[in-house]
């Protein structure tokens, strides 16, 4: 079984506050529909995308070693080529994105849900460390959540042929996850109100799927790169202006 600690969904305590934060930040979060041909995994009843030209400040809450900070920064910056957002890392603990590294989990709020978290509290958790095989993958994945992307294995069209008893047992033994947590994080599709982009098994947002947990019928490796479809979605919601006054919505 994969040795990377799974990224677990962070529950929102106040769905109304989540909705208001999304719409106040970017009114288009309620208007993205299948009319565009590109509504997405980022959407539940509403999307949680930042305003396309938003400047996101990012800070660390627990003063990690400089080497860890720099490694996390390096991989977060990899997303910058595909979005019109700008990023800066600040020492102020009231940044928009607040990372906690003294933790036992890898997780992040989805997009604008970060605005519902009290000042000084973490919006992202990174347990992985440089030197671990999947450190870069974890950082790319968690910041994908911060941009508004959900877990791709929960796409309604994924139809992964899980052997559920094997999954319950494996995740309990390896990660101490109970049945409720496994159901939420692995088996419960995103309940989209709109048409979505095609299922992308190559997405950086996809859980690895071990062949033994599908009785040999299906497998997805640990994806280590931002996929073409990830880039396309990022460029659509955060279009990059080009010199002639247009925008680049597809990488």
């Amino acid at each position: 079984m994969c040795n990377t600690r799974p990224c677990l969904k962070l529950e929102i305590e106040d769905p109304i506050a989540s909705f208001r934060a999304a719409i106040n930040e970017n009114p288009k979060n309620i208007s993205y529909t299948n009319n565009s041909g590109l509504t997405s995994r980022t959407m539940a009843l509403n999307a949680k995308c930042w305003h396309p030209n938003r400047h996101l400040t990012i800070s660390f809450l627990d003063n990690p070693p400089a080497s860890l900070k720099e490694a996390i920064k390096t991989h977060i910056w990899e997303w910058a080529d595909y979005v019109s957002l700008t990023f800066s890392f600040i020492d102020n603990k009231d940044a928009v994105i607040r990372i906690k590294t003294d933790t036992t989990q890898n997780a992040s709020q989805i997009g604008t849900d970060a605005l519902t978290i009290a000042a000084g509290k973490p919006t992202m958790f990174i347990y992985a460390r440089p030197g671990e095989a999947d450190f870069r993958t974890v950082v790319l994945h968690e910041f994908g959540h911060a941009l508004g992307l959900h877990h791709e294995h929960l796409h309604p069209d994924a139809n992964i042929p899980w052997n559920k008893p094997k999954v319950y047992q494996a995740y309990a033994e390896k990660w101490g996850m109970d049945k409720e947590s496994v159901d939420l994080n692995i088996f419960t599709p995103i309940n989209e109100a709109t048409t979505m982009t095609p299922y992308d098994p190559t997405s950086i947002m996809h859980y690895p799927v071990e062949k033994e947990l599908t009785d040999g019928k299906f497998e997805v490796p640990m994806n280590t790169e931002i996929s073409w479809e990830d880039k396309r979605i990022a460029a659509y919601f955060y279009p990059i202006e080009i010199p002639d006054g247009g925008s680049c919505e597809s990488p």
Side-chain angles (χ1 to χ4, degrees), residues 94-112:
D94 289 336
V96 177
I97 306 297
R98 302 179 294 276
I99 302 171
K100 182 177 177 64
T101 61
D102 182 12
T103 180
T104 59
Q105 63 179 325
N106 297 310
S108 176
Q109 298 293 338
I110 306 296
T112 56

Side-chain angles (χ1 to χ4, degrees), residues 82-154:
Y82 313 115
V83 298
S84 57
L85 301 170
T86 57
F87 312 143
S88 65
F89 291 85
I90 64 175
D91 291 332
N92 189 324
K93 293 184 178 181
D94 289 336
V96 177
I97 306 297
R98 302 179 294 276
I99 302 171
K100 182 177 177 64
T101 61
D102 182 12
T103 180
T104 59
Q105 63 179 325
N106 297 310
S108 176
Q109 298 293 338
I110 306 296
T112 56
D113 280 345
L115 299 174
T116 70
I117 305 304
K121 300 294 183 182
T123 68
M124 181 183 297
F125 301 83
I126 296 180
Y127 173 78
R129 292 295 184 267
E132 296 175 3
D134 297 316
F135 172 74
R136 174 174 172 267
T137 298
V138 168
V139 177
L140 290 175
H141 179 102
E142 298 309 336
F143 203 73
H145 283 316
L147 294 176
L149 300 177
H150 282 286
H151 279 138
E152 187 66 10
H153 64 281
L154 298 181

Side-chain angles (χ1 to χ4, degrees), residues 44-196:
L45 294 179
N46 59 282
K48 299 179 181 182
C49 300
W50 302 97
H51 188 280
N53 297 312
R54 160 75 104 127
H55 179 70
L56 287 180
T57 53
I58 307 165
S59 65
F60 295 86
L61 293 183
D62 44 17
N63 195 29
S67 58
L68 176 56
K69 281 174 133 178
E70 291 306 311
I72 292 173
K73 288 180 184 180
T74 295
H75 301 315
I76 285 176
W77 276 113
E78 292 187 50
W79 278 103
D81 289 340
Y82 313 115
V83 298
S84 57
L85 301 170
T86 57
F87 312 143
S88 65
F89 291 85
I90 64 175
D91 291 332
N92 189 324
K93 293 184 178 181
D94 289 336
V96 177
I97 306 297
R98 302 179 294 276
I99 302 171
K100 182 177 177 64
T101 61
D102 182 12
T103 180
T104 59
Q105 63 179 325
N106 297 310
S108 176
Q109 298 293 338
I110 306 296
T112 56
D113 280 345
L115 299 174
T116 70
I117 305 304
K121 300 294 183 182
T123 68
M124 181 183 297
F125 301 83
I126 296 180
Y127 173 78
R129 292 295 184 267
E132 296 175 3
D134 297 316
F135 172 74
R136 174 174 172 267
T137 298
V138 168
V139 177
L140 290 175
H141 179 102
E142 298 309 336
F143 203 73
H145 283 316
L147 294 176
L149 300 177
H150 282 286
H151 279 138
E152 187 66 10
H153 64 281
L154 298 181
H155 190 297
D157 293 338
N159 296 318
I160 298 171
W162 296 108
N163 181 317
K164 290 189 175 183
K166 285 186 178 179
V167 176
Y168 289 131
Q169 181 178 355
Y171 276 81
E173 292 177 352
K174 182 74 174 180
W175 306 115
M177 291 172 61
D178 60 20
K179 182 178 182 297
E180 181 180 8
S181 182
V182 171
D183 285 339
L184 176 65
N185 288 282
I186 301 176
F187 297 147
T188 305
I190 300 167
N191 183 19
E192 300 281 347
T194 61
T195 305
M196 306 194 335

